[in-house]
Amino acid sequence: MSQDAPAGQPGCLFCRIARGEIPATALYDDALVVAFRDIAPMAPTHVLVIPKQHVTSLAHGTPEHEALFGRLMRVATDVARQEGITETGYRVVINTGADGGQSVPHLHLHVLGGRKLGWPPG
Ligand code: 5GP
Ligand code: ZN
């Protein structure tokens, strides 16, 4: 099975959440994307938006992922609106690789808001 096969990787935490094998508080779910609350929230709103298919990181994207990545961004903005933070503002973060602080090797967008966020990141 290829790394980015739709069925995902058996041991991957976020593939398992996408398949419903590990419970999560889902806010959005369609054929391609799922959004759920982070288990250790860093802000009043902290939601993760992931593709259902396994993509290891942003750096593993190919031209074939262009529409999927666009969908992830749109779902992030929809989640923010649903959470009521569009007017106050929010941050969408994609930690990528070791120096980027990525701890789960399945692409995910963090949607953070509901408080004033610091900048620059550590
Ligand atoms: P990263 O550090 O890779 O950018 O982000 C991974 C995120 O996944 C972290 O914010 C972490 O709290 C979250 N996370 C890790 N394991 C789980 C889990 O089992 N369920 C949920 N909902 N979030 C998780
Ligand atoms: Zn995965």
Side-chain angles (χ1 to χ4, degrees), residues 37-43 45-48 110 112:
R37 295 203 189 277
D38 196 291
I39 202 168
M42 296 293 168
T45 288
H46 189 173
V47 175
L48 301 174
H110 296 257
L112 295 148

Side-chain angles (χ1 to χ4, degrees), residues 9-61:
Q9 294 197 327
C12 171
L13 175 64
F14 285 177
C15 282
R16 295 192 67 197
I17 287 178
R19 287 196 297 266
E21 294 171 9
I22 293 177
T25 306
L27 302 181
Y28 179 87
D29 192 340
D30 70 20
L32 298 176
V33 174
V34 59
F36 53 93
R37 295 203 189 277
D38 196 291
I39 202 168
M42 296 293 168
T45 288
H46 189 173
V47 175
L48 301 174
V49 182
I50 68 167
K52 284 192 171 173
Q53 75 176 93
H54 184 85
V55 182
T56 301
S57 81
L58 189 63
H60 292 74

